[in-house]
Amino acid sequence: MWSRTRLVLCMLLAVSVILGLTGGLVLGQAFPRNETLYTGGKQWGPVSNWNPFMAGNQAMGTIGLCYETLFLYDPLTDQFIPWLAESGKWLSSTVYELKVRQGVKWSDGQPLTAADVKFTFDLGKTAALNITSLWDWLDNIVQVGDYYLEFHFKQALYQEWANNLYNIAIVPQHIWASRNATTVSTGANENPIGSGPYLFFAVDQVKMVWVRNDNWWAKTALGKSVAPKYIVDLVNTSNENSLGLVLQGQEDLNNNYLPGISTLLLGGYALHTYFPGAPYHLAANTAWLDINLQKKPMGDVNFRKALAYAINVADIVSRDYGNMVQAANATGLLPTWDKYVDQAVINSLGTSYDPVKAKQTLTAAGYKDVNGDGFVEAPDGSKIALKIIVPNGWSDWMAAIQIISSNAQAVGINVQPNYPDFNGYLDARLNGTFDLAIDNQQQISNTPWSYYHFIFYDKLADIPSTQGGNYGRYNNPTAFALVSQLDKVPTSDLAGMKAVISQIQTIQLTDLPIIPLWYNGMWAQMSTAYWTGWPSSADGDAHYLPVTWNGYWNMTSILMLCNLTAK
Ligand code: MG
């Protein structure tokens, strides 16, 4: 059996090598090093589609390098930057006027007009897309001339709309109008025609190459041009391989989690990170503990609080991550959302590491070790034996749940770490069969609404199919109603947003349906061997996001490319 397996593996390897070599020959040239940006960190397998509606597995840069959004959003300044749109404003409480930028052309030379924008949104009516749910509250779109649109809403969900403005990529009507709904939603969309600064150049099994679009509209409209002529995005093989490529200057920007950067920064390599010291990386998302509230004893808020008091997040930050991440505050809101954190609520209701308090909380709630095995039993005398899961191979998370398990055991809660494969981990969360799990699915965005919409996702029965969030099945109609209410607060009404968010935080910290742990980083290892002008926190440097993942080019990473200089 072994030899047969090995033979098949060898054959697969041979095929992939041949494909790789063939691709290399098709690519036909060595890319001039001083005109080429090598990237990695997005792609974990061969590239198979360039469909801007296929979130997750589209080629690196499909949205951002090729297709573009109406606005960019800068999370570091909380500003929207007009992009394919010149401007947008609410004419009334339910009508949003958008002025589409004049002079933008698709890469085949056709003009991009308001008709393309309307067409793109209208696609959500007939195809199952990420914009389909928008039509639950959007009534119709009226085109006024070639460059104006009016979006008429049944009910305006201001927070969500603002999120759409920088996430929905506009596609050309003259290319997409003849496609059926299935092709629109799941077609590979090879040889994509976009409006962005790069054109598809070539692809093989190990890389995808973009070439600069020298007719990009922003050169004349905004005086911006992207520096690299070629962007070669490498398919990840392993973190060790990526690290080697960065240290050798063969990869210019890598967005994998690479441990030990704090030491390597001092090692004389041409290595650069956004912050020169800890935490080295900007925060991308919150890692929190999902707690299955449908199982005993996790349904008991006192048990959850005891668990929160037991976990030593500072230890995870220092020992597991070498201070490459920061501890989350009790709400879990990202540093870019600091202004929304109600410190008074945290002061009165927040939990943090305090093992004495953890034991006191357990005792007061009736948990005690009646059988003398060192672990508490539930108030009804039943045994407690919990598993905490993360995907096998996710080494930083595996180390984290070892620390959390020993923290819990130290206060008498029997928690054991467990590492199913990735699909097993996903299934356990989606189907609610887990006890405890680490989760970080909600990324940085323009509004805490997106975070709360995820952790307080209200359609509990639909969670396995929608992957909507709230894997612990927290059920609180009051909290859900507040999240909906937040969505209806205009983004310009900061006081109104804070008032609702404060109420949500009060419920969150009273009930503790999840336990926020730390902020995962926008892992970005940049090499200064061939390119300089990288984003950094230093005064006078560009404060852009240095990230190639989906959804980040339109959060200012594209501006990073305009700021680079070849050495
Ligand atoms: Mg016991």
Side-chain angles (χ1 to χ4, degrees):
M1 285 304 289
W2 252 112
S3 59
R4 177 175 295 180
T5 309
R6 288 173 67 177
L7 181 64
V8 170
L9 282 174
C10 285
M11 287 170 64
L12 282 173
L13 187 64
V15 168
S16 62
V17 166
I18 290 165
L19 284 171
L21 287 175
T22 309
L25 292 174
V26 170
L27 294 174
Q29 66 189 88
F31 297 98
R33 192 61 184 91
N34 63 352
E35 291 186 293
T36 306
L37 187 77
Y38 286 87
T39 59
K42 150 72 172 84
Q43 203 69 31
W44 281 97
V47 177
S48 59
N49 90 78
W50 294 263
N51 187 335
F53 298 115
M54 286 182 76
N57 68 347
Q58 62 203 204
M60 190 288 286
T62 296
I63 296 179
L65 301 184
C66 180
Y67 295 97
E68 296 177 294
T69 51
L70 295 166
F71 289 81
L72 306 183
Y73 173 69
D74 182 351
L76 302 182
T77 60
D78 192 19
Q79 297 289 318
F80 282 78
I81 301 167
W83 206 242
L84 290 182
E86 245 178 72
S87 62
K89 64 181 179 205
W90 289 95
L91 297 180
S92 72
S93 60
T94 55
V95 179
Y96 183 85
E97 182 194 68
L98 187 84
K99 185 181 182 189
V100 177
R101 189 181 296 280
Q102 295 192 38
V104 178
K105 287 202 164 94
W106 298 104
S107 60
D108 63 1
Q110 296 288 314
L112 184 156
T113 71
D116 293 301
V117 179
K118 174 173 161 52
F119 169 80
T120 300
F121 281 91
D122 282 344
L123 280 175
K125 291 192 213 174
T126 50
L129 305 177
N130 53 352
I131 46 174
T132 296
S133 66
L134 184 65
W135 287 98
D136 293 344
W137 42 284
L138 175 60
D139 191 28
N140 63 82
I141 304 170
V142 178
Q143 188 181 337
V144 184
D146 282 347
Y147 294 99
Y148 280 91
L149 293 169
E150 284 179 12
F151 293 81
H152 293 252
F153 292 91
K154 291 177 244 182
Q155 177 173 49
L157 303 180
Y158 300 105
Q159 302 288 322
E160 219 170 325
W161 177 243
N163 190 269
N164 283 321
L165 286 174
Y166 72 94
N167 278 304
I168 295 176
I170 305 305
V171 299
Q173 182 175 16
H174 67 280
I175 305 282
W176 288 69
S178 61
R179 298 180 178 181
N180 65 32
T182 307
T183 308
V184 166
S185 58
T186 60
N189 190 37
E190 285 159 336
N191 302 309
I193 302 294
S195 57
Y198 286 90
L199 311 168
F200 173 82
F201 185 74
V203 66
D204 65 19
Q205 294 292 296
V206 297
K207 62 186 173 296
M208 148 86 212
V209 186
W210 298 100
V211 62
R212 193 170 56 213
N213 172 10
D214 285 322
N215 296 316
W216 186 37
W217 60 269
K219 285 174 81 173
T220 45
L222 302 176
K224 291 195 178 301
S225 55
V226 288
K229 179 168 183 185
Y230 299 99
I231 296 180
V232 179
D233 190 57
L234 305 172
V235 174
N236 290 319
T237 52
S238 70
N239 284 348
E240 292 74 14
N241 187 45
S242 299
L243 182 58
L245 291 175
V246 173
L247 296 182
Q248 293 158 29
Q250 293 176 29
E251 194 167 309
D252 302 300
L253 169 61
N254 178 276
N255 296 123
N256 290 330
Y257 167 68
L258 303 180
I261 289 302
S262 54
T263 309
L264 293 168
L265 278 170
L266 305 171
Y269 300 99
L271 184 64
H272 170 79
T273 49
Y274 188 87
F275 297 108
Y280 306 98
H281 307 287
L282 292 160
N285 57 65
T286 306
W288 66 80
L289 190 65
D290 273 336
I291 306 172
N292 192 339
L293 307 186
Q294 294 184 320
K295 284 189 172 183
K296 283 183 175 177
M298 284 81 77
D300 177 2
V301 65
N302 292 311
F303 181 82
R304 300 197 292 275
K305 288 209 163 147
L307 194 57
Y309 284 126
I311 299 173
N312 187 348
V313 177
D315 204 29
I316 297 172
V317 168
S318 62
R319 281 205 296 137
D320 180 6
Y321 282 101
N323 296 308
M324 283 169 64
V325 300
Q326 291 173 282
N329 72 47
T331 66
L333 289 181
L334 289 162
T336 45
W337 289 328
D338 263 352
K339 66 186 171 195
Y340 301 111
V341 173
D342 189 333
Q343 199 56 48
V345 172
I346 290 188
N347 291 346
S348 65
L349 297 170
T351 46
S352 58
Y353 178 56
D354 189 339
V356 173
K357 226 168 180 172
K359 287 183 185 173
Q360 288 169 348
T361 305
L362 287 170
T363 304
Y367 294 83
K368 60 181 173 188
D369 181 10
V370 290
N371 62 3
D373 68 349
F375 296 122
V376 296
E377 278 70 51
D380 65 2
S382 59
K383 187 179 162 152
I384 297 172
L386 305 175
K387 283 183 187 165
I388 178 170
I389 58 168
V390 298
N392 193 22
W394 292 28
S395 55
D396 50 328
W397 284 21
M398 290 166 76
I401 65 170
Q402 288 164 20
I403 292 174
I404 292 170
S405 297
S406 65
N407 290 159
Q409 290 166 18
V411 302
I413 304 173
N414 185 2
V415 177
Q416 305 289 339
N418 189 252
Y419 321 106
D421 65 21
F422 183 63
N423 286 330
Y425 158 84
L426 288 184
D427 286 349
R429 269 191 348 188
L430 290 175
N431 297 315
T433 56
F434 70 100
D435 299 326
L436 304 165
I438 307 284
D439 188 359
N440 73 328
Q441 231 174 294
Q442 190 55 51
Q443 300 290 316
I444 191 170
S445 84
N446 63 307
T447 168
W449 172 84
S450 64
Y451 171 71
Y452 284 119
H453 177 65
F454 192 85
I455 64 176
F456 292 145
Y457 185 70
D458 59 349
K459 298 176 186 69
L460 298 184
D462 296 340
I463 288 172
S465 57
T466 58
Q467 306 182 28
N470 191 7
Y471 299 122
R473 274 73 173 171
Y474 178 63
N475 191 359
N476 183 337
T478 308
F480 299 163
L482 283 167
V483 175
S484 295
Q485 190 185 328
L486 174 60
D487 205 1
K488 294 167 193 157
V489 179
T491 53
S492 56
D493 181 6
L494 179 60
M497 287 177 69
K498 286 170 78 166
V500 180
I501 292 170
S502 175
Q503 292 180 69
I504 296 173
Q505 286 170 11
T506 301
I507 292 177
Q508 182 195 357
L509 297 190
T510 301
D511 280 0
L512 218 59
I514 63 161
I515 300 175
L517 298 171
W518 69 87
Y519 302 124
N520 271 313
M522 292 181 205
W523 321 122
Q525 289 72 224
M526 295 162 262
S527 168
T528 54
Y530 292 94
W531 294 96
T532 58
W534 292 107
S536 100
S537 61
D539 286 346
D541 283 355
H543 304 324
Y544 302 133
L545 309 192
V547 185
T548 62
W549 302 329
N550 286 357
Y552 280 80
W553 288 112
N554 34 316
M555 283 193 288
T556 73
S557 290
I558 195 70
L559 298 175
M560 162 186 75
L561 297 179
C562 303
N563 210 61
L564 290 176
T565 307
K567 266 174 114 172

